[in-house]
PDB file of all heavy atoms in Angstrom:
ATOM      1  N   HIS X  11       5.664  -3.959  13.729  1.00 87.00           N
ATOM      2  CA  HIS X  11       4.518  -3.712  14.687  1.00 87.00           C
ATOM      3  C   HIS X  11       3.218  -3.857  13.891  1.00 87.00           C
ATOM      4  O   HIS X  11       3.058  -3.197  12.863  1.00 87.00           O
ATOM      5  CB  HIS X  11       4.624  -2.276  15.270  1.00 87.00           C
ATOM      6  CG  HIS X  11       5.887  -2.098  16.051  1.00 87.00           C
ATOM      7  ND1 HIS X  11       5.984  -2.485  17.346  1.00 87.00           N
ATOM      8  CD2 HIS X  11       7.055  -1.540  15.740  1.00 87.00           C
ATOM      9  CE1 HIS X  11       7.141  -2.167  17.739  1.00 87.00           C
ATOM     10  NE2 HIS X  11       7.844  -1.616  16.824  1.00 87.00           N
ATOM     11  N   LEU X  12       2.410  -4.768  14.344  1.00 87.00           N
ATOM     12  CA  LEU X  12       1.107  -4.832  13.701  1.00 87.00           C
ATOM     13  C   LEU X  12       0.288  -3.592  13.980  1.00 87.00           C
ATOM     14  O   LEU X  12       0.337  -3.005  15.090  1.00 87.00           O
ATOM     15  CB  LEU X  12       0.270  -6.140  14.233  1.00 87.00           C
ATOM     16  CG  LEU X  12       1.037  -7.429  13.977  1.00 87.00           C
ATOM     17  CD1 LEU X  12       0.183  -8.578  14.556  1.00 87.00           C
ATOM     18  CD2 LEU X  12       1.243  -7.608  12.446  1.00 87.00           C
ATOM     19  N   CYS X  13      -0.475  -3.146  13.052  1.00 88.00           N
ATOM     20  CA  CYS X  13      -1.303  -1.938  13.169  1.00 88.00           C
ATOM     21  C   CYS X  13      -2.383  -2.036  12.127  1.00 88.00           C
ATOM     22  O   CYS X  13      -2.568  -2.899  11.364  1.00 88.00           O
ATOM     23  CB  CYS X  13      -0.434  -0.667  12.956  1.00 88.00           C
ATOM     24  SG  CYS X  13       0.333  -0.539  11.280  1.00 88.00           S
ATOM     25  N   GLU X  14      -3.257  -0.924  12.151  1.00 89.00           N
ATOM     26  CA  GLU X  14      -4.289  -0.821  11.163  1.00 89.00           C
ATOM     27  C   GLU X  14      -4.402   0.662  10.830  1.00 89.00           C
ATOM     28  O   GLU X  14      -4.852   1.410  11.785  1.00 89.00           O
ATOM     29  CB  GLU X  14      -5.615  -1.360  11.735  1.00 89.00           C
ATOM     30  CG  GLU X  14      -6.738  -1.325  10.550  1.00 89.00           C
ATOM     31  CD  GLU X  14      -7.865  -2.138  10.946  1.00 89.00           C
ATOM     32  OE1 GLU X  14      -7.730  -3.071  11.692  1.00 89.00           O
ATOM     33  OE2 GLU X  14      -8.965  -1.719  10.540  1.00 89.00           O
ATOM     34  N   ALA X  15      -3.842   1.060   9.765  1.00 89.00           N
ATOM     35  CA  ALA X  15      -3.809   2.534   9.432  1.00 89.00           C
ATOM     36  C   ALA X  15      -4.393   2.596   7.944  1.00 89.00           C
ATOM     37  O   ALA X  15      -3.838   2.071   7.103  1.00 89.00           O
ATOM     38  CB  ALA X  15      -2.404   3.087   9.498  1.00 89.00           C
ATOM     39  N   MET X  16      -5.511   3.320   7.811  1.00 89.00           N
ATOM     40  CA  MET X  16      -5.933   3.588   6.474  1.00 89.00           C
ATOM     41  C   MET X  16      -4.940   4.356   5.727  1.00 89.00           C
ATOM     42  O   MET X  16      -4.324   5.319   6.222  1.00 89.00           O
ATOM     43  CB  MET X  16      -7.274   4.339   6.487  1.00 89.00           C
ATOM     44  CG  MET X  16      -8.380   3.489   7.171  1.00 89.00           C
ATOM     45  SD  MET X  16      -8.546   1.861   6.658  1.00 89.00           S
ATOM     46  CE  MET X  16      -9.180   2.102   5.012  1.00 89.00           C
ATOM     47  N   ALA X  17      -4.630   4.017   4.392  1.00 92.00           N
ATOM     48  CA  ALA X  17      -3.662   4.629   3.695  1.00 92.00           C
ATOM     49  C   ALA X  17      -4.030   4.792   2.270  1.00 92.00           C
ATOM     50  O   ALA X  17      -4.940   4.147   1.699  1.00 92.00           O
ATOM     51  CB  ALA X  17      -2.387   3.819   3.720  1.00 92.00           C
ATOM     52  N   VAL X  18      -3.454   5.774   1.569  1.00 88.00           N
ATOM     53  CA  VAL X  18      -3.552   6.042   0.149  1.00 88.00           C
ATOM     54  C   VAL X  18      -2.217   5.982  -0.434  1.00 88.00           C
ATOM     55  O   VAL X  18      -1.246   6.579   0.086  1.00 88.00           O
ATOM     56  CB  VAL X  18      -4.239   7.448  -0.132  1.00 88.00           C
ATOM     57  CG1 VAL X  18      -4.287   7.696  -1.631  1.00 88.00           C
ATOM     58  CG2 VAL X  18      -5.618   7.432   0.473  1.00 88.00           C
ATOM     59  N   ALA X  19      -2.069   5.311  -1.546  1.00 89.00           N
ATOM     60  CA  ALA X  19      -0.745   5.255  -2.282  1.00 89.00           C
ATOM     61  C   ALA X  19      -0.950   5.650  -3.719  1.00 89.00           C
ATOM     62  O   ALA X  19      -2.018   5.452  -4.328  1.00 89.00           O
ATOM     63  CB  ALA X  19      -0.124   3.893  -2.114  1.00 89.00           C
ATOM     64  N   SER X  20       0.068   6.208  -4.210  1.00 87.00           N
ATOM     65  CA  SER X  20      -0.039   6.553  -5.688  1.00 87.00           C
ATOM     66  C   SER X  20       1.277   6.112  -6.303  1.00 87.00           C
ATOM     67  O   SER X  20       2.349   6.474  -5.796  1.00 87.00           O
ATOM     68  CB  SER X  20      -0.328   7.973  -5.894  1.00 87.00           C
ATOM     69  OG  SER X  20       0.595   8.818  -5.321  1.00 87.00           O
ATOM     70  N   VAL X  21       1.234   5.527  -7.461  1.00 88.00           N
ATOM     71  CA  VAL X  21       2.489   5.223  -8.168  1.00 88.00           C
ATOM     72  C   VAL X  21       2.968   6.577  -8.726  1.00 88.00           C
ATOM     73  O   VAL X  21       2.231   7.321  -9.282  1.00 88.00           O
ATOM     74  CB  VAL X  21       2.102   4.209  -9.416  1.00 88.00           C
ATOM     75  CG1 VAL X  21       3.353   4.006 -10.240  1.00 88.00           C
ATOM     76  CG2 VAL X  21       1.639   2.972  -8.775  1.00 88.00           C
ATOM     77  N   VAL X  22       4.257   6.701  -8.594  1.00 75.00           N
ATOM     78  CA  VAL X  22       4.880   8.002  -9.021  1.00 75.00           C
ATOM     79  C   VAL X  22       4.849   8.185 -10.521  1.00 75.00           C
ATOM     80  O   VAL X  22       4.347   9.271 -11.016  1.00 75.00           O
ATOM     81  CB  VAL X  22       6.322   8.055  -8.551  1.00 75.00           C
ATOM     82  CG1 VAL X  22       6.976   9.261  -8.979  1.00 75.00           C
ATOM     83  CG2 VAL X  22       6.324   7.988  -6.954  1.00 75.00           C
ATOM     84  N   ARG X  23       5.083   7.139 -11.334  1.00 71.00           N
ATOM     85  CA  ARG X  23       5.071   7.323 -12.749  1.00 71.00           C
ATOM     86  C   ARG X  23       4.611   6.007 -13.307  1.00 71.00           C
ATOM     87  O   ARG X  23       5.232   4.934 -13.036  1.00 71.00           O
ATOM     88  CB  ARG X  23       6.374   7.604 -13.307  1.00 71.00           C
ATOM     89  CG  ARG X  23       6.842   9.013 -13.111  1.00 71.00           C
ATOM     90  CD  ARG X  23       8.211   9.320 -13.785  1.00 71.00           C
ATOM     91  NE  ARG X  23       8.715  10.571 -13.312  1.00 71.00           N
ATOM     92  CZ  ARG X  23       9.507  10.701 -12.302  1.00 71.00           C
ATOM     93  NH1 ARG X  23       9.971   9.637 -11.679  1.00 71.00           N
ATOM     94  NH2 ARG X  23       9.941  11.913 -11.982  1.00 71.00           N
ATOM     95  N   PRO X  24       3.529   5.848 -14.083  1.00 71.00           N
ATOM     96  CA  PRO X  24       2.510   6.830 -14.385  1.00 71.00           C
ATOM     97  C   PRO X  24       1.594   7.069 -13.206  1.00 71.00           C
ATOM     98  O   PRO X  24       1.578   6.191 -12.262  1.00 71.00           O
ATOM     99  CB  PRO X  24       1.754   6.254 -15.585  1.00 71.00           C
ATOM    100  CG  PRO X  24       1.970   4.744 -15.390  1.00 71.00           C
ATOM    101  CD  PRO X  24       3.203   4.563 -14.730  1.00 71.00           C
ATOM    102  N   GLU X  25       0.815   8.104 -13.160  1.00 79.00           N
ATOM    103  CA  GLU X  25      -0.088   8.397 -12.098  1.00 79.00           C
ATOM    104  C   GLU X  25      -1.157   7.273 -11.906  1.00 79.00           C
ATOM    105  O   GLU X  25      -1.811   6.924 -12.879  1.00 79.00           O
ATOM    106  CB  GLU X  25      -0.746   9.699 -12.207  1.00 79.00           C
ATOM    107  CG  GLU X  25       0.113  10.922 -11.930  1.00 79.00           C
ATOM    108  CD  GLU X  25       0.566  10.901 -10.477  1.00 79.00           C
ATOM    109  OE1 GLU X  25      -0.220  10.770  -9.527  1.00 79.00           O
ATOM    110  OE2 GLU X  25       1.780  11.173 -10.192  1.00 79.00           O
ATOM    111  N   LEU X  26      -1.254   6.687 -10.701  1.00 88.00           N
ATOM    112  CA  LEU X  26      -2.151   5.720 -10.392  1.00 88.00           C
ATOM    113  C   LEU X  26      -2.440   5.736  -8.876  1.00 88.00           C
ATOM    114  O   LEU X  26      -1.544   5.647  -8.084  1.00 88.00           O
ATOM    115  CB  LEU X  26      -1.564   4.279 -10.765  1.00 88.00           C
ATOM    116  CG  LEU X  26      -2.403   3.049 -10.365  1.00 88.00           C
ATOM    117  CD1 LEU X  26      -3.692   3.038 -11.220  1.00 88.00           C
ATOM    118  CD2 LEU X  26      -1.603   1.836 -10.731  1.00 88.00           C
ATOM    119  N   LEU X  27      -3.620   5.849  -8.517  1.00 91.00           N
ATOM    120  CA  LEU X  27      -4.029   6.004  -7.126  1.00 91.00           C
ATOM    121  C   LEU X  27      -4.736   4.815  -6.573  1.00 91.00           C
ATOM    122  O   LEU X  27      -5.598   4.167  -7.315  1.00 91.00           O
ATOM    123  CB  LEU X  27      -4.876   7.286  -6.772  1.00 91.00           C
ATOM    124  CG  LEU X  27      -5.399   7.524  -5.477  1.00 91.00           C
ATOM    125  CD1 LEU X  27      -4.231   8.101  -4.592  1.00 91.00           C
ATOM    126  CD2 LEU X  27      -6.536   8.509  -5.481  1.00 91.00           C
ATOM    127  N   PHE X  28      -4.420   4.236  -5.443  1.00 94.00           N
ATOM    128  CA  PHE X  28      -5.120   3.085  -4.889  1.00 94.00           C
ATOM    129  C   PHE X  28      -5.090   3.325  -3.328  1.00 94.00           C
ATOM    130  O   PHE X  28      -4.312   3.894  -2.749  1.00 94.00           O
ATOM    131  CB  PHE X  28      -4.539   1.734  -5.352  1.00 94.00           C
ATOM    132  CG  PHE X  28      -3.013   1.646  -5.121  1.00 94.00           C
ATOM    133  CD1 PHE X  28      -2.509   1.007  -4.069  1.00 94.00           C
ATOM    134  CD2 PHE X  28      -2.184   2.187  -6.180  1.00 94.00           C
ATOM    135  CE1 PHE X  28      -1.157   0.889  -3.920  1.00 94.00           C
ATOM    136  CE2 PHE X  28      -0.794   2.060  -5.920  1.00 94.00           C
ATOM    137  CZ  PHE X  28      -0.254   1.363  -4.844  1.00 94.00           C
ATOM    138  N   ARG X  29      -6.163   2.631  -2.716  1.00 95.00           N
ATOM    139  CA  ARG X  29      -6.334   2.703  -1.296  1.00 95.00           C
ATOM    140  C   ARG X  29      -6.086   1.378  -0.583  1.00 95.00           C
ATOM    141  O   ARG X  29      -6.260   0.357  -1.259  1.00 95.00           O
ATOM    142  CB  ARG X  29      -7.698   3.218  -0.856  1.00 95.00           C
ATOM    143  CG  ARG X  29      -7.995   4.604  -1.492  1.00 95.00           C
ATOM    144  CD  ARG X  29      -9.350   5.084  -1.096  1.00 95.00           C
ATOM    145  NE  ARG X  29      -9.872   6.273  -1.839  1.00 95.00           N
ATOM    146  CZ  ARG X  29      -9.334   7.474  -1.745  1.00 95.00           C
ATOM    147  NH1 ARG X  29      -8.357   7.674  -0.962  1.00 95.00           N
ATOM    148  NH2 ARG X  29      -9.795   8.435  -2.486  1.00 95.00           N
ATOM    149  N   GLY X  30      -5.794   1.402   0.656  1.00 96.00           N
ATOM    150  CA  GLY X  30      -5.627   0.160   1.406  1.00 96.00           C
ATOM    151  C   GLY X  30      -5.398   0.422   2.888  1.00 96.00           C
ATOM    152  O   GLY X  30      -5.713   1.540   3.381  1.00 96.00           O
ATOM    153  N   THR X  31      -4.860  -0.575   3.584  1.00 96.00           N
ATOM    154  CA  THR X  31      -4.622  -0.479   4.979  1.00 96.00           C
ATOM    155  C   THR X  31      -3.231  -0.987   5.254  1.00 96.00           C
ATOM    156  O   THR X  31      -2.815  -2.016   4.748  1.00 96.00           O
ATOM    157  CB  THR X  31      -5.612  -1.407   5.771  1.00 96.00           C
ATOM    158  OG1 THR X  31      -6.949  -0.976   5.447  1.00 96.00           O
ATOM    159  CG2 THR X  31      -5.438  -1.305   7.230  1.00 96.00           C
ATOM    160  N   ILE X  32      -2.439  -0.241   6.093  1.00 96.00           N
ATOM    161  CA  ILE X  32      -1.113  -0.705   6.497  1.00 96.00           C
ATOM    162  C   ILE X  32      -1.422  -1.650   7.635  1.00 96.00           C
ATOM    163  O   ILE X  32      -2.063  -1.337   8.687  1.00 96.00           O
ATOM    164  CB  ILE X  32      -0.289   0.499   6.865  1.00 96.00           C
ATOM    165  CG1 ILE X  32       0.024   1.323   5.690  1.00 96.00           C
ATOM    166  CG2 ILE X  32       0.971  -0.056   7.562  1.00 96.00           C
ATOM    167  CD1 ILE X  32       0.792   2.585   6.026  1.00 96.00           C
ATOM    168  N   ARG X  33      -0.908  -2.872   7.447  1.00 95.00           N
ATOM    169  CA  ARG X  33      -1.181  -3.941   8.499  1.00 95.00           C
ATOM    170  C   ARG X  33       0.030  -4.074   9.413  1.00 95.00           C
ATOM    171  O   ARG X  33      -0.162  -4.629  10.532  1.00 95.00           O
ATOM    172  CB  ARG X  33      -1.499  -5.330   7.839  1.00 95.00           C
ATOM    173  CG  ARG X  33      -2.805  -5.179   7.160  1.00 95.00           C
ATOM    174  CD  ARG X  33      -3.873  -5.129   8.080  1.00 95.00           C
ATOM    175  NE  ARG X  33      -5.190  -5.056   7.480  1.00 95.00           N
ATOM    176  CZ  ARG X  33      -6.324  -4.808   8.023  1.00 95.00           C
ATOM    177  NH1 ARG X  33      -6.315  -4.621   9.327  1.00 95.00           N
ATOM    178  NH2 ARG X  33      -7.431  -4.822   7.346  1.00 95.00           N
ATOM    179  N   ASN X  34       1.208  -3.796   9.018  1.00 95.00           N
ATOM    180  CA  ASN X  34       2.370  -3.821   9.920  1.00 95.00           C
ATOM    181  C   ASN X  34       3.374  -2.831   9.386  1.00 95.00           C
ATOM    182  O   ASN X  34       3.361  -2.444   8.222  1.00 95.00           O
ATOM    183  CB  ASN X  34       2.926  -5.181  10.203  1.00 95.00           C
ATOM    184  CG  ASN X  34       3.598  -5.787   8.869  1.00 95.00           C
ATOM    185  OD1 ASN X  34       4.333  -5.110   8.235  1.00 95.00           O
ATOM    186  ND2 ASN X  34       3.196  -7.002   8.655  1.00 95.00           N
ATOM    187  N   ILE X  35       4.245  -2.342  10.331  1.00 95.00           N
ATOM    188  CA  ILE X  35       5.131  -1.284   9.977  1.00 95.00           C
ATOM    189  C   ILE X  35       6.487  -1.442  10.767  1.00 95.00           C
ATOM    190  O   ILE X  35       6.432  -1.960  11.973  1.00 95.00           O
ATOM    191  CB  ILE X  35       4.481   0.151  10.268  1.00 95.00           C
ATOM    192  CG1 ILE X  35       5.343   1.301   9.666  1.00 95.00           C
ATOM    193  CG2 ILE X  35       4.225   0.340  11.731  1.00 95.00           C
ATOM    194  CD1 ILE X  35       4.577   2.574   9.610  1.00 95.00           C
ATOM    195  N   SER X  36       7.593  -1.015  10.171  1.00 94.00           N
ATOM    196  CA  SER X  36       8.851  -1.033  10.872  1.00 94.00           C
ATOM    197  C   SER X  36       9.624   0.210  10.379  1.00 94.00           C
ATOM    198  O   SER X  36       9.120   0.975   9.560  1.00 94.00           O
ATOM    199  CB  SER X  36       9.632  -2.294  10.530  1.00 94.00           C
ATOM    200  OG  SER X  36      10.197  -2.245   9.231  1.00 94.00           O
ATOM    201  N   GLU X  37      10.757   0.349  10.911  1.00 93.00           N
ATOM    202  CA  GLU X  37      11.576   1.489  10.456  1.00 93.00           C
ATOM    203  C   GLU X  37      12.000   1.476   8.897  1.00 93.00           C
ATOM    204  O   GLU X  37      12.186   2.426   8.299  1.00 93.00           O
ATOM    205  CB  GLU X  37      12.938   1.594  11.190  1.00 93.00           C
ATOM    206  CG  GLU X  37      12.829   2.107  12.579  1.00 93.00           C
ATOM    207  CD  GLU X  37      14.176   2.226  13.266  1.00 93.00           C
ATOM    208  OE1 GLU X  37      15.166   2.636  12.684  1.00 93.00           O
ATOM    209  OE2 GLU X  37      14.305   1.864  14.489  1.00 93.00           O
ATOM    210  N   ALA X  38      12.004   0.288   8.418  1.00 94.00           N
ATOM    211  CA  ALA X  38      12.424   0.041   7.028  1.00 94.00           C
ATOM    212  C   ALA X  38      11.262   0.006   6.001  1.00 94.00           C
ATOM    213  O   ALA X  38      11.469   0.191   4.823  1.00 94.00           O
ATOM    214  CB  ALA X  38      13.209  -1.240   6.902  1.00 94.00           C
ATOM    215  N   GLY X  39      10.041  -0.341   6.426  1.00 96.00           N
ATOM    216  CA  GLY X  39       8.929  -0.498   5.533  1.00 96.00           C
ATOM    217  C   GLY X  39       7.659  -0.947   6.113  1.00 96.00           C
ATOM    218  O   GLY X  39       7.481  -0.885   7.423  1.00 96.00           O
ATOM    219  N   CYS X  40       6.728  -1.402   5.351  1.00 96.00           N
ATOM    220  CA  CYS X  40       5.418  -1.877   5.908  1.00 96.00           C
ATOM    221  C   CYS X  40       4.773  -2.788   4.959  1.00 96.00           C
ATOM    222  O   CYS X  40       5.208  -3.012   3.740  1.00 96.00           O
ATOM    223  CB  CYS X  40       4.516  -0.567   6.062  1.00 96.00           C
ATOM    224  SG  CYS X  40       4.063   0.187   4.469  1.00 96.00           S
ATOM    225  N   TYR X  41       3.620  -3.417   5.374  1.00 97.00           N
ATOM    226  CA  TYR X  41       2.806  -4.278   4.525  1.00 97.00           C
ATOM    227  C   TYR X  41       1.575  -3.485   4.225  1.00 97.00           C
ATOM    228  O   TYR X  41       0.861  -3.104   5.178  1.00 97.00           O
ATOM    229  CB  TYR X  41       2.518  -5.615   5.136  1.00 97.00           C
ATOM    230  CG  TYR X  41       1.602  -6.507   4.211  1.00 97.00           C
ATOM    231  CD1 TYR X  41       2.272  -7.064   3.067  1.00 97.00           C
ATOM    232  CD2 TYR X  41       0.320  -6.600   4.352  1.00 97.00           C
ATOM    233  CE1 TYR X  41       1.495  -7.809   2.135  1.00 97.00           C
ATOM    234  CE2 TYR X  41      -0.456  -7.277   3.399  1.00 97.00           C
ATOM    235  CZ  TYR X  41       0.172  -7.917   2.326  1.00 97.00           C
ATOM    236  OH  TYR X  41      -0.544  -8.587   1.464  1.00 97.00           O
ATOM    237  N   PHE X  42       1.235  -3.194   3.008  1.00 96.00           N
ATOM    238  CA  PHE X  42       0.111  -2.449   2.514  1.00 96.00           C
ATOM    239  C   PHE X  42      -0.959  -3.382   1.971  1.00 96.00           C
ATOM    240  O   PHE X  42      -0.615  -4.022   0.887  1.00 96.00           O
ATOM    241  CB  PHE X  42       0.573  -1.422   1.494  1.00 96.00           C
ATOM    242  CG  PHE X  42      -0.442  -0.492   1.029  1.00 96.00           C
ATOM    243  CD1 PHE X  42      -0.734   0.685   1.701  1.00 96.00           C
ATOM    244  CD2 PHE X  42      -1.091  -0.780  -0.148  1.00 96.00           C
ATOM    245  CE1 PHE X  42      -1.715   1.557   1.230  1.00 96.00           C
ATOM    246  CE2 PHE X  42      -2.116   0.099  -0.645  1.00 96.00           C
ATOM    247  CZ  PHE X  42      -2.422   1.317   0.035  1.00 96.00           C
ATOM    248  N   GLU X  43      -2.028  -3.622   2.621  1.00 96.00           N
ATOM    249  CA  GLU X  43      -3.057  -4.519   2.229  1.00 96.00           C
ATOM    250  C   GLU X  43      -4.024  -3.728   1.291  1.00 96.00           C
ATOM    251  O   GLU X  43      -4.540  -2.609   1.616  1.00 96.00           O
ATOM    252  CB  GLU X  43      -3.845  -5.068   3.379  1.00 96.00           C
ATOM    253  CG  GLU X  43      -4.847  -6.013   2.999  1.00 96.00           C
ATOM    254  CD  GLU X  43      -5.530  -6.577   4.273  1.00 96.00           C
ATOM    255  OE1 GLU X  43      -6.471  -5.898   4.765  1.00 96.00           O
ATOM    256  OE2 GLU X  43      -5.145  -7.658   4.783  1.00 96.00           O
ATOM    257  N   THR X  44      -4.313  -4.260   0.153  1.00 94.00           N
ATOM    258  CA  THR X  44      -5.208  -3.557  -0.832  1.00 94.00           C
ATOM    259  C   THR X  44      -5.916  -4.587  -1.689  1.00 94.00           C
ATOM    260  O   THR X  44      -5.292  -5.655  -2.031  1.00 94.00           O
ATOM    261  CB  THR X  44      -4.549  -2.475  -1.808  1.00 94.00           C
ATOM    262  OG1 THR X  44      -5.468  -1.935  -2.611  1.00 94.00           O
ATOM    263  CG2 THR X  44      -3.385  -3.148  -2.537  1.00 94.00           C
ATOM    264  N   GLN X  45      -7.153  -4.399  -1.951  1.00 92.00           N
ATOM    265  CA  GLN X  45      -7.872  -5.246  -2.943  1.00 92.00           C
ATOM    266  C   GLN X  45      -7.682  -4.901  -4.340  1.00 92.00           C
ATOM    267  O   GLN X  45      -8.180  -5.547  -5.211  1.00 92.00           O
ATOM    268  CB  GLN X  45      -9.362  -5.212  -2.528  1.00 92.00           C
ATOM    269  CG  GLN X  45      -9.589  -5.782  -1.131  1.00 92.00           C
ATOM    270  CD  GLN X  45     -11.094  -5.861  -0.779  1.00 92.00           C
ATOM    271  OE1 GLN X  45     -11.994  -5.307  -1.534  1.00 92.00           O
ATOM    272  NE2 GLN X  45     -11.427  -6.324   0.371  1.00 92.00           N
ATOM    273  N   ALA X  46      -6.979  -3.824  -4.615  1.00 90.00           N
ATOM    274  CA  ALA X  46      -6.727  -3.374  -6.031  1.00 90.00           C
ATOM    275  C   ALA X  46      -5.959  -4.490  -6.710  1.00 90.00           C
ATOM    276  O   ALA X  46      -5.081  -5.074  -6.220  1.00 90.00           O
ATOM    277  CB  ALA X  46      -5.935  -2.024  -5.971  1.00 90.00           C
ATOM    278  N   ARG X  47      -6.361  -4.768  -7.952  1.00 88.00           N
ATOM    279  CA  ARG X  47      -5.770  -5.768  -8.734  1.00 88.00           C
ATOM    280  C   ARG X  47      -4.632  -5.165  -9.463  1.00 88.00           C
ATOM    281  O   ARG X  47      -4.639  -4.948 -10.706  1.00 88.00           O
ATOM    282  CB  ARG X  47      -6.795  -6.357  -9.682  1.00 88.00           C
ATOM    283  CG  ARG X  47      -7.850  -7.190  -8.898  1.00 88.00           C
ATOM    284  CD  ARG X  47      -7.710  -8.666  -9.314  1.00 88.00           C
ATOM    285  NE  ARG X  47      -8.479  -9.537  -8.447  1.00 88.00           N
ATOM    286  CZ  ARG X  47      -7.982 -10.516  -7.843  1.00 88.00           C
ATOM    287  NH1 ARG X  47      -6.718 -10.754  -7.794  1.00 88.00           N
ATOM    288  NH2 ARG X  47      -8.665 -11.294  -7.117  1.00 88.00           N
ATOM    289  N   LEU X  48      -3.557  -4.873  -8.790  1.00 87.00           N
ATOM    290  CA  LEU X  48      -2.386  -4.292  -9.331  1.00 87.00           C
ATOM    291  C   LEU X  48      -1.335  -5.284  -9.678  1.00 87.00           C
ATOM    292  O   LEU X  48      -1.249  -6.327  -8.954  1.00 87.00           O
ATOM    293  CB  LEU X  48      -1.799  -3.237  -8.454  1.00 87.00           C
ATOM    294  CG  LEU X  48      -2.758  -2.121  -7.947  1.00 87.00           C
ATOM    295  CD1 LEU X  48      -2.074  -1.322  -6.841  1.00 87.00           C
ATOM    296  CD2 LEU X  48      -3.062  -1.176  -9.108  1.00 87.00           C
ATOM    297  N   SER X  49      -0.520  -5.024 -10.647  1.00 85.00           N
ATOM    298  CA  SER X  49       0.570  -5.855 -10.934  1.00 85.00           C
ATOM    299  C   SER X  49       1.777  -4.928 -11.111  1.00 85.00           C
ATOM    300  O   SER X  49       2.133  -4.613 -12.268  1.00 85.00           O
ATOM    301  CB  SER X  49       0.360  -6.692 -12.192  1.00 85.00           C
ATOM    302  OG  SER X  49       1.465  -7.589 -12.405  1.00 85.00           O
ATOM    303  N   LEU X  50       2.341  -4.489  -9.989  1.00 90.00           N
ATOM    304  CA  LEU X  50       3.419  -3.565 -10.073  1.00 90.00           C
ATOM    305  C   LEU X  50       4.716  -4.299 -10.068  1.00 90.00           C
ATOM    306  O   LEU X  50       4.885  -5.295  -9.230  1.00 90.00           O
ATOM    307  CB  LEU X  50       3.378  -2.563  -8.880  1.00 90.00           C
ATOM    308  CG  LEU X  50       2.087  -1.806  -8.798  1.00 90.00           C
ATOM    309  CD1 LEU X  50       2.079  -0.876  -7.505  1.00 90.00           C
ATOM    310  CD2 LEU X  50       1.928  -0.906  -9.973  1.00 90.00           C
ATOM    311  N   ASP X  51       5.667  -3.871 -10.835  1.00 90.00           N
ATOM    312  CA  ASP X  51       7.001  -4.448 -10.791  1.00 90.00           C
ATOM    313  C   ASP X  51       7.763  -4.136  -9.439  1.00 90.00           C
ATOM    314  O   ASP X  51       7.536  -3.016  -8.909  1.00 90.00           O
ATOM    315  CB  ASP X  51       7.852  -3.924 -11.940  1.00 90.00           C
ATOM    316  CG  ASP X  51       7.376  -4.352 -13.294  1.00 90.00           C
ATOM    317  OD1 ASP X  51       6.834  -5.528 -13.326  1.00 90.00           O
ATOM    318  OD2 ASP X  51       7.560  -3.587 -14.262  1.00 90.00           O
ATOM    319  N   PRO X  52       8.567  -5.096  -8.950  1.00 89.00           N
ATOM    320  CA  PRO X  52       9.422  -4.724  -7.839  1.00 89.00           C
ATOM    321  C   PRO X  52      10.261  -3.529  -8.218  1.00 89.00           C
ATOM    322  O   PRO X  52      10.586  -3.335  -9.350  1.00 89.00           O
ATOM    323  CB  PRO X  52      10.240  -5.963  -7.671  1.00 89.00           C
ATOM    324  CG  PRO X  52       9.438  -7.080  -8.222  1.00 89.00           C
ATOM    325  CD  PRO X  52       8.712  -6.457  -9.403  1.00 89.00           C
TER     326      PRO X  52
END
């Protein structure tokens, strides 16, 4: 479902906080849009 929800996410280990917008959501997951230049491993 397409949506627009402001969101805050933080990496569990090590601590890292970033903001963004959830653009779509389902029972299993979502797409989190952020301008943060992160390179997180799958």
Side-chain angles (χ1 to χ4, degrees):
H11 297 276
L12 297 181
C13 62
E14 186 169 328
M16 298 308 293
V18 175
S20 59
V21 174
V22 177
R23 289 183 189 94
E25 284 295 316
L26 174 67
L27 178 75
F28 50 98
R29 299 183 194 291
T31 304
I32 294 176
R33 292 295 180 186
N34 65 48
I35 191 166
S36 76
E37 285 184 40
C40 65
Y41 182 76
F42 183 87
E43 184 179 81
T44 181
Q45 293 181 356
R47 292 245 170 241
L48 303 169
S49 183
L50 302 176
D51 291 330

